[in-house]
Amino acid sequence: MLLGCVNRVWVKVQPSGQSFWHFCCTGEGFPSVLDRMRMLKRASALILRRGITTYQSRMCKNDSLFRVHPSVSQALAENKPVVALESTIITHGMPYPHNLSTAKEVEAIVRAEGATPATVGVIEGRVHVGLSSEELDHLARCKSSLKVSRRDLPYVISKGLSGGTTVSATMIAAHRAGIPVFVTGGIGGVHRDGENSLDISADLTELGRTPIAVVSAGVKSILDIGRTLEFLETQGVCVATYGASKNFPAFFSPQSGFTSPYQVCNPEEAAELIASTLSLCLQSGVLLAVPIPEEHAEAGLLIEEAIQAAVTETSAKGVTGRDVTPFILQKVNELTEGKSLQANIALIHNNAKVGSQISCALSKQITERKLRGKTSHNGKHSDIVVIGGINVDFIAKGRQKTLHFGQTNPGSVCQSFGGVGRNIADSLSRLGCQPLFISATGADSHSEAVLNYCKHMNTSGVARLEEQSTATYCAVITESGELSLGLGDMDIHQQITEQYVSQFEKQLSAATLVCLDGNIPVQTINYVCSIANKHNVNVWFEPTDSDKACKPFLSDAWKSLSYSSPNLAELRTMNKTLGLQTPEVLPSSLEEMLSVAVALSRPLLEHLHCLVVTLGAGGVLVCGEHDAGSVNLQPRKQKTKRQLCAVHYPALTVTAEETMNVSGAGDSLAGALIAGIFQRRDTDSCVRMGLLAARLSLASPHPIAPTLTSDSVDPNRVQTQDWLTPRFMWID
């Protein structure tokens, strides 16, 4: 097993029985180009499955180190409220059996408020998000448990040890699991004399870099509360007191002498604050400070006196570091004859109740927003549904005219987000339409990245599946922009099943147009076509590639298609699947390509309303019903006998230097064409919109250019010298 480097990105490969051969080929030790090609495919396939990532980032996806309890997984999958809970209160905060009973009481409070508790702990080197009753008991009794903060996680895991997670470690685990609300007793802070000792809790820096809402009773009075609040401000953490006052609480006391920057009065306001923080993608947390209940605050003065005495004893005995807080808490409990423990339990119970109410309010708000989004999509712009693939693309472009196998080729590698269905839905979304996008991804980091990128789209129809990998695609292109090699790990597209898509039958039946990506299973295509036939819905089929172009044509499903946008090879496959005569070799000259495209389009137009045949650098041939000297692109209400014609539009010029990505030009063309059709533009404007969108795509590192807007593809606004007069041809 050896290591090879792809543009400074290390890839580990062990092909069976052969030495390592890295991406773009060193060629050493292989007798033939054929061998090198085989190894290239193996190496590229591995890159696709794992992503072009560093060794470190691959290790960061090691889910074997994290275990999410089934009850927590189910609640998260169903968008139900979940509350994360720390476990140092079990291992270090209270003596047994108070620690165990308190932990179970807190979980019971969370459940009573309608949320699912997810106590976080480390057991034998694995981080558990959600603990069973037996696991809680194990942590409560374990005398060798460690106190696990961010810095301790690597060591504890590497040694297979157990421990209770502090605020920082619990935040890390909760965020990884997708839990936005975390309840604790109190957070750590800047210790007294911290300006000299630099003794500052990792809880504060974690709040500055992990987007979690932490519900706590403020910070303990043994800390420097003023400097703690200043440090939180420096970290960009939004701090708000929960309740009728802006007084910042000091754990056992509702008042610390300091004021919070902000205040939220109820669970709904707190949920709005959290939702706004998450929507802004600030990557920092929120601290919600909840005062101790008044009935227990009366003991605050007694407890504060005990705390001061304990602090003095701590200094005298030289207790430092992580041992300070447990020592003080135990001493205070002794001095107050258990009253501090009762108050501690009371405030934790109260925090659990308030945090659960906030979590429920947040879940409700998120659900309502999704429903409002669906409602808006079911209104004016809900008449388009796109079903197809979503994947992560890796585009490698050489810097030489020819790529040489047997040596490392200079070039660049970039990551973007693609998938034919996603690209078309993205294009439509940027052009003023709001299609419902139905697809499937894995429950992995690739999925998180691509869905975060697609926030401008309606992705409510995208399923995230456990034990599945998000689709990945790798394209190697030459300096001139031509595709040299493309490899895809698209297995998850087979999970876009008829059964899953049937959940959206109401939206499909009410749509004006459904766009299908050839990556989805044949049974799904047949199902959608049957719905379309029953409800007179127009279907646009994007073949994706020659192998998948045949799918609707394996049965009579193709007769329910209205539009399709194949290239010449895909058009030939469609005809061949129907048993029609096709040329063995496709022509290379433009005139011959146009002649073959017209001949192959004719039999399909017996049922299809329109064909948009893409010819690469040769432009676009639009074939369909003749209407006033052009092709009628507007959806037809019923099938009637028509006079057929075709119009050829030359492509816009894009130089090799301008070409950055060839994976999304056809999808951009289709998306802009569909948008133009729904804007009821004339055929000439629709096609020119498509050509402009394709040109933007070619010059962008992304399949769909982020600069794509209605104005950027408006033929009346965009001045170009490339427009050539379209050529009209009769088919009949």
Side-chain angles (χ1 to χ4, degrees):
M1 183 179 292
L2 300 174
L3 290 176
C5 180
V6 184
N7 286 341
R8 298 182 182 178
V9 179
W10 290 92
V11 183
K12 182 170 64 176
V13 183
Q14 187 174 7
S16 58
Q18 299 191 56
S19 303
F20 174 80
W21 189 78
H22 65 258
F23 186 60
C24 290
C25 313
T26 63
E28 296 175 2
F30 292 94
S32 69
V33 172
L34 180 59
D35 285 329
R36 298 169 192 169
M37 284 298 295
R38 288 171 178 162
M39 294 307 300
L40 173 60
K41 291 180 180 179
R42 290 179 182 174
S44 298
L46 182 66
I47 291 170
L48 290 169
R49 188 165 296 278
R50 298 186 179 177
I52 299 181
T53 56
T54 62
Y55 180 76
Q56 178 185 2
S57 65
R58 288 205 309 273
M59 290 298 291
C60 288
K61 302 170 191 172
N62 190 347
D63 293 328
S64 66
L65 303 179
F66 286 78
R67 179 189 176 276
V68 181
H69 193 276
S71 64
V72 177
S73 294
Q74 182 176 355
L76 291 171
E78 296 173 357
N79 296 316
K80 293 181 178 179
V82 178
V83 173
L85 303 166
E86 62 155 296
S87 53
T88 50
I89 192 172
I90 303 172
T91 58
H92 294 78
M94 296 179 184
Y96 183 84
H98 296 292
N99 56 354
L100 180 60
S101 60
T102 299
K104 291 186 175 181
E105 288 166 5
V106 169
E107 288 198 345
I109 291 170
V110 173
R111 292 189 182 96
E113 293 296 330
T116 298
T119 303
V120 177
V122 182
I123 298 177
E124 295 179 350
R126 293 183 68 188
V127 180
H128 289 240
V129 182
L131 298 175
S132 66
S133 179
E134 293 76 14
E135 289 165 342
L136 277 173
D137 187 71
H138 170 75
L139 279 183
R141 292 176 181 271
C142 184
K143 295 182 179 180
S144 60
S145 291
L146 299 178
K147 190 174 182 181
V148 184
S149 183
R150 168 183 274 268
R151 73 161 189 184
D152 310 301
L153 277 171
Y155 179 81
V156 173
I157 289 174
S158 69
K159 295 294 185 180
L161 303 176
S162 298
T165 53
T166 65
V167 169
S168 63
T170 306
M171 288 178 69
I172 292 168
H175 177 54
R176 184 185 181 92
I179 303 171
V181 178
F182 161 41
V183 167
T184 184
I187 65 166
V190 179
H191 284 249
R192 297 183 183 188
D193 195 38
E195 67 274 21
N196 296 315
S197 67
L198 297 181
D199 192 350
I200 301 171
S201 171
D203 298 350
L204 305 186
T205 50
E206 201 63 50
L207 274 161
R209 59 185 169 188
T210 303
I212 291 287
V214 178
V215 178
S216 82
V219 297
K220 300 178 182 68
S221 60
I222 60 174
L223 302 171
D224 189 325
I225 297 176
R227 284 191 169 89
T228 296
L229 289 172
E230 289 289 344
F231 194 88
L232 286 169
E233 180 184 358
T234 301
Q235 293 293 309
V237 179
C238 183
V239 178
T241 296
Y242 181 90
S245 171
K246 290 182 70 175
N247 291 327
F248 186 79
F251 204 70
F252 291 117
S253 173
Q255 298 183 8
S256 65
F258 296 91
T259 302
S260 289
Y262 304 106
Q263 169 197 7
V264 290
C265 296
N266 51 51
E268 289 70 31
E269 286 188 13
E272 284 285 357
L273 176 61
I274 297 168
S276 298
T277 304
L278 297 176
S279 297
L280 289 168
C281 300
L282 297 178
Q283 302 306 312
S284 54
V286 175
L287 176 62
L288 296 171
V290 182
I292 189 173
E294 285 295 332
E295 61 269 26
H296 296 281
E298 296 177 0
L301 181 60
L302 174 64
I303 296 171
E304 284 299 323
E305 291 175 353
I307 288 174
Q308 298 307 317
V311 169
T312 301
E313 187 172 344
T314 300
S315 300
K317 291 187 175 182
V319 180
T320 59
R322 67 171 65 190
D323 298 325
V324 170
T325 300
F327 178 87
I328 290 177
L329 290 177
Q330 182 179 353
K331 193 65 181 177
V332 169
N333 186 50
E334 294 173 0
L335 294 173
T336 61
E337 297 179 344
K339 290 183 179 179
S340 66
L341 178 60
Q342 295 172 12
N344 195 359
I345 293 173
L347 72 84
I348 291 169
H349 285 181
N350 185 57
N351 288 355
K353 181 177 180 180
V354 171
S356 300
Q357 292 172 349
I358 293 171
S359 179
C360 290
L362 178 62
S363 178
K364 182 179 179 182
Q365 288 181 16
I366 292 173
T367 301
E368 288 176 350
R369 288 179 183 181
K370 286 185 176 181
L371 288 174
R372 284 199 299 269
K374 289 181 180 180
T375 300
S376 67
H377 292 304
N378 287 335
K380 182 178 178 182
H381 297 293
S382 65
D383 41 11
I384 305 176
V385 177
V386 180
I387 308 174
I390 183 171
N391 48 267
V392 179
D393 290 343
F394 299 100
I395 309 300
K397 183 180 181 182
R399 294 185 186 142
Q400 298 174 336
K401 292 182 179 180
T402 304
L403 294 177
H404 301 284
F405 293 106
Q407 65 184 56
T408 299
N409 292 268
S412 60
V413 179
C414 68
Q415 177 185 358
S416 59
F417 303 110
V420 173
R422 193 217 70 86
N423 290 347
I424 293 175
D426 187 354
S427 178
L428 288 165
S429 299
R430 296 180 188 275
L431 295 176
C433 302
Q434 294 178 324
L436 169 65
F437 178 44
I438 300 173
S439 187
T441 70
D444 52 21
S445 59
H446 280 330
S447 173
E448 293 174 7
V450 72
L451 290 177
N452 184 61
Y453 181 79
C454 296
K455 284 184 176 178
H456 61 290
M457 298 163 51
N458 178 10
T459 57
S460 59
V462 178
R464 295 189 70 188
L465 305 177
E466 298 288 345
E467 307 300 327
Q468 296 285 338
S469 299
T470 300
T472 46
Y473 171 74
C474 181
V476 183
I477 62 176
T478 63
E479 182 191 35
S480 62
E482 295 297 320
L483 180 66
S484 176
L485 178 68
L487 290 169
D489 178 5
M490 307 292 182
D491 292 348
I492 195 170
H493 294 157
Q494 300 310 305
Q495 302 302 317
I496 311 174
T497 61
E498 174 185 349
Q499 182 180 9
Y500 177 69
V501 173
S502 66
Q503 299 177 43
F504 304 93
E505 183 168 338
K506 183 177 180 180
Q507 293 93 323
L508 294 170
S509 302
T512 302
L513 178 73
V514 177
C515 183
L516 300 178
D517 163 354
N519 285 302
I520 65 179
V522 172
Q523 292 82 358
T524 306
I525 293 174
N526 292 343
Y527 164 74
V528 173
C529 286
S530 68
I531 294 294
N533 187 57
K534 181 179 179 181
H535 296 278
N536 197 29
V537 176
N538 288 273
V539 178
W540 185 299
F541 177 60
E542 169 50 53
T544 308
D545 62 39
S546 294
D547 291 336
K548 296 162 188 165
C550 65
K551 289 183 177 181
F553 299 88
L554 297 170
S555 67
D556 283 341
W558 76 277
K559 295 180 180 178
S560 298
L561 302 180
S562 300
Y563 300 87
S564 188
S565 44
N567 60 29
L568 202 54
E570 293 160 354
L571 183 60
R572 178 176 64 177
T573 296
M574 295 173 176
N575 279 259
K576 192 172 183 179
T577 306
L578 293 175
L580 302 174
Q581 186 175 358
T582 59
E584 290 294 328
V585 179
L586 292 174
S588 56
S589 71
L590 178 59
E591 288 301 318
E592 290 178 317
M593 284 194 291
L594 292 174
S595 176
V596 169
V598 167
L600 293 175
S601 297
R602 178 64 187 86
L604 303 187
L605 292 171
E606 289 291 335
H607 294 279
L608 271 72
H609 175 54
C610 182
L611 280 167
V612 180
V613 185
T614 56
L615 303 171
V620 178
L621 183 70
V622 183
C623 308
E625 178 184 11
H626 175 255
D627 180 38
S630 187
V631 175
N632 178 19
L633 287 179
Q634 292 303 315
R636 56 178 170 175
K637 294 189 171 24
Q638 58 185 6
K639 295 182 180 180
T640 57
K641 187 165 179 64
R642 317 163 288 165
Q643 191 172 27
L644 302 176
C645 68
V647 181
H648 172 240
Y649 290 84
L652 297 178
T653 302
V654 182
T655 66
E657 291 73 21
E658 294 173 325
T659 302
M660 297 183 65
N661 187 344
V662 296
S663 67
D667 304 332
S668 297
L669 173 79
L673 264 170
I674 295 170
I677 291 170
F678 273 81
Q679 294 167 12
R680 301 198 66 81
R681 291 175 177 256
D682 61 79
T683 299
D684 189 68
S685 294
C686 289
V687 178
R688 293 189 190 280
M689 282 177 63
L691 292 171
L692 287 169
R695 185 169 70 173
L696 285 173
S697 172
L698 290 169
S700 170
H702 304 278
I704 304 301
T707 56
L708 178 65
T709 63
S710 295
D711 287 344
S712 68
V713 294
D714 188 341
N716 298 320
R717 292 174 177 264
V718 180
Q719 301 297 321
T720 177
Q721 304 298 319
D722 292 339
W723 293 126
L724 299 175
T725 303
R727 176 181 173 184
F728 180 87
M729 292 174 280
W730 288 107
I731 294 180
D732 284 345

